[in-house]
Amino acid sequence: KQEVTQIPAALSVPEGENLVLNCSFTDSAIYNLQWFRQDPGKGLTSLLLIQSSQREQTSGRLNASLDKSSGRSTLYIAASQPGDSATYLCAVNTGNQFYFGTGTSLTVIP
Amino acid sequence: KAGVTQTPRYLIKTRGQQVTLSCSPISGHRSVSWYQQTPGQGLQFLFEYFSETQRNKGNFPGRFSGRQFSNSRSEMNVSTLELGDSALYLCASSFRTGGSGELFFGEGSRLTVL
């Protein structure tokens, strides 16, 4: 069974700092990997989807990378803003279903 | 383009009752999957429906069931509610089945069991 781990569980940074969130998975046979953000009490908002054949994807200040062989993905957030405060989850797709990490709770301090 | 719509957003039930939650996917999406989210267990996969057929099922008891209609709208039902069923229930739609496509989530239905 695929297991997904996100470290750290919580992160607090001052506004303007660049930061990296980590996601690791146990089985490299994945179809794709998706990053989401979740605001308190809300649903998940899709940020980036990386196909297994891709190494990275970019959207605005966000850049996600994927290294299937080592079972790792990172989400890079440039010039963080208070509005980036949320929980960030990665989800690994085995082709049958998505397996979710428990998330990294990010707080950006003004 | 309208997103994924879940109803009701909030509901309170008592132990032993049953509940039905509804999910309308993004137009054109034929896959609907359901997840339970709790602080202790995180997001756990319940089941996925594609073209009215259950394609995959997570490790939940038979009290949790679902169905999908010809217009791709889906419902999930939980019978004989237990306190531990209190959670945020999230629905996600996708163009493709088996999780092979990008997932888009609704706002969730917050269930409290007293």
Side-chain angles (χ1 to χ4, degrees):
Chain A
K1 179 193 167 188
Q2 181 74 264
E3 293 189 6
V4 183
T5 305
Q6 291 187 248
I7 295 173
L11 182 63
S12 184
V13 301
E15 181 178 0
E17 193 161 296
N18 302 326
L19 59 102
V20 174
L21 306 180
N22 297 294
C23 172
S24 60
F25 46 95
T26 54
D27 187 346
S28 62
I30 67 170
Y31 197 94
N32 57 44
L33 184 147
Q34 196 168 351
W35 281 93
F36 298 87
R37 71 171 276 169
Q38 185 176 30
D39 295 288
K42 301 285 190 179
L44 279 66
T45 300
S46 178
L47 296 174
L48 289 164
L49 174 72
I50 312 178
Q51 301 294 345
S52 62
S53 58
Q54 297 176 313
R55 296 299 297 266
E56 64 178 69
Q57 277 280 17
T58 298
S59 175
R61 294 182 296 108
L62 306 179
N63 176 278
S65 68
L66 174 63
D67 184 343
K68 268 200 328 176
S69 61
S70 66
R72 301 170 89 169
S73 176
T74 61
L75 179 67
Y76 174 83
I77 303 177
S80 58
Q81 304 170 358
D84 295 331
S85 297
T87 296
Y88 291 78
L89 297 108
C90 70
V92 173
N93 180 358
T94 62
N96 286 320
Q97 68 178 77
F98 279 88
Y99 292 87
F100 283 80
T102 49
T104 295
S105 177
L106 173 66
T107 302
V108 181
I109 304 165
Chain B
K1 193 173 184 180
V4 179
T5 304
Q6 290 189 246
T7 57
R9 291 291 316 281
Y10 304 92
L11 64 167
I12 300 173
K13 294 286 187 178
T14 56
R15 286 169 51 192
Q17 287 187 310
Q18 74 164 16
V19 65
T20 299
L21 309 178
S22 178
C23 173
S24 293
I26 291 171
S27 177
H29 285 192
R30 293 159 63 193
S31 168
V32 174
S33 51
W34 289 88
Y35 294 83
Q36 181 195 66
Q37 187 177 34
T38 58
Q41 298 294 320
L43 267 153
Q44 293 187 288
F45 173 74
L46 282 155
F47 31 67
E48 184 213 356
Y49 286 87
F50 183 84
S51 295
E52 302 179 65
T53 301
Q54 187 180 90
R55 293 300 180 99
N56 203 2
K57 189 176 190 301
N59 190 27
F60 277 81
R63 299 185 297 107
F64 293 81
S65 63
R67 59 178 175 169
Q68 187 179 34
F69 302 95
S70 58
N71 62 358
S72 294
R73 189 178 71 86
S74 176
E75 290 181 346
M76 68 162 281
N77 184 79
V78 188
S79 62
T80 319
L81 284 166
E82 300 177 359
L83 296 178
D85 296 333
S86 294
L88 180 66
Y89 289 88
L90 291 162
C91 160
S93 79
S94 177
F95 183 72
R96 299 187 186 90
T97 185
S100 57
E102 187 173 0
L103 285 183
F104 296 89
F105 280 85
E107 290 292 314
S109 292
R110 171 77 62 185
L111 171 65
T112 301
V113 182
L114 302 177

Coordinates of all heavy atoms in Angstrom, one line a residue, chain B residues 2 4 13 25-26 30 32 35 48 54 57 74 77 81 99 114:
Chain B
A2 N -19.1 26.0 -13.3 CA -19.4 25.7 -11.9 C -18.5 24.6 -11.4 O -18.1 23.7 -12.1 CB -20.9 25.3 -11.8
V4 N -17.4 21.8 -8.1 CA -18.1 20.7 -7.5 C -19.0 21.2 -6.3 O -18.5 22.0 -5.5 CB -17.0 19.7 -6.9 CG1 -17.7 18.6 -6.2 CG2 -16.1 19.2 -8.0
K13 N -26.5 15.0 13.4 CA -27.3 13.8 13.6 C -27.0 13.2 14.9 O -26.0 13.5 15.6 CB -27.0 12.8 12.5 CG -27.4 13.3 11.1 CD -28.9 13.2 10.9 CE -29.2 13.5 9.4 NZ -30.7 13.4 9.2
P25 N -20.9 16.9 -9.7 CA -19.5 17.1 -10.2 C -19.5 18.3 -11.2 O -20.5 18.8 -11.6 CB -19.2 15.8 -10.9 CG -20.5 15.3 -11.3 CD -21.5 15.7 -10.3
I26 N -18.3 18.6 -11.6 CA -18.1 19.6 -12.6 C -18.7 19.1 -13.9 O -18.6 17.9 -14.2 CB -16.6 19.9 -12.8 CG1 -16.1 20.7 -11.6 CG2 -16.3 20.7 -14.1 CD1 -14.6 20.8 -11.6
R30 N -17.1 12.6 -15.2 CA -17.9 11.4 -15.0 C -17.4 10.6 -13.8 O -18.1 9.6 -13.4 CB -17.9 10.5 -16.2 CG -18.6 11.1 -17.4 CD -18.1 10.5 -18.7 NE -18.5 9.1 -18.8 CZ -17.9 8.3 -19.8 NH1 -17.1 8.8 -20.6 NH2 -18.3 7.1 -19.8
V32 N -16.6 10.5 -9.8 CA -16.9 11.1 -8.5 C -16.3 10.2 -7.4 O -16.6 9.0 -7.4 CB -18.3 11.3 -8.2 CG1 -18.5 11.9 -6.8 CG2 -18.9 12.3 -9.2
Y35 N -14.2 11.1 0.1 CA -13.2 11.0 1.1 C -13.8 11.5 2.4 O -14.6 12.3 2.5 CB -12.0 11.9 0.8 CG -11.3 11.5 -0.5 CD1 -11.7 11.9 -1.7 CD2 -10.1 10.7 -0.4 CE1 -11.0 11.5 -2.9 CE2 -9.4 10.3 -1.5 CZ -9.9 10.7 -2.8 OH -9.2 10.4 -3.9
E48 N -15.1 5.3 -5.3 CA -15.1 6.1 -6.5 C -16.2 5.5 -7.4 O -16.3 4.3 -7.5 CB -13.8 6.1 -7.2 CG -13.8 7.0 -8.5 CD -12.9 6.5 -9.6 OE1 -12.2 5.5 -9.4 OE2 -13.0 7.2 -10.7
Q54 N -19.4 1.5 -9.3 CA -18.4 1.7 -8.3 C -17.1 1.1 -8.9 O -17.0 -0.1 -9.1 CB -18.8 1.1 -7.0 CG -17.8 1.4 -5.9 CD -18.2 0.8 -4.6 OE1 -17.8 -0.4 -4.2 NE2 -19.0 1.5 -3.8
K57 N -13.0 0.9 -4.0 CA -13.5 1.1 -2.7 C -12.4 1.1 -1.6 O -11.5 0.3 -1.7 CB -14.5 0.0 -2.4 CG -15.3 0.2 -1.1 CD -16.4 -1.0 -1.0 CE -17.4 -0.7 0.1 NZ -16.8 -0.6 1.4
S74 N -23.7 12.2 -7.5 CA -23.5 11.1 -6.6 C -24.0 11.4 -5.2 O -24.1 12.5 -4.8 CB -22.0 10.8 -6.6 OG -21.7 9.7 -5.6
N77 N -24.3 7.5 1.5 CA -25.1 7.2 2.6 C -24.4 6.6 3.8 O -23.5 5.7 3.5 CB -26.3 6.3 2.2 CG -27.3 6.1 3.3 OD1 -28.1 7.0 3.6 ND2 -27.2 5.0 4.0
L81 N -25.4 5.7 12.3 CA -24.3 6.6 12.6 C -23.7 6.3 14.0 O -24.4 6.0 15.0 CB -24.8 8.0 12.6 CG -25.0 8.6 11.2 CD1 -25.8 9.9 11.2 CD2 -23.6 8.8 10.5
G99 N -8.6 7.7 -10.7 CA -7.7 8.7 -10.2 C -6.7 9.1 -11.2 O -5.7 9.8 -10.9
L114 N -24.0 13.3 17.4 CA -24.1 13.5 18.9 C -24.6 12.2 19.5 O -25.3 11.4 18.9 CB -25.0 14.7 19.2 CG -24.6 16.0 18.5 CD1 -25.7 17.1 18.8 CD2 -23.2 16.4 19.0

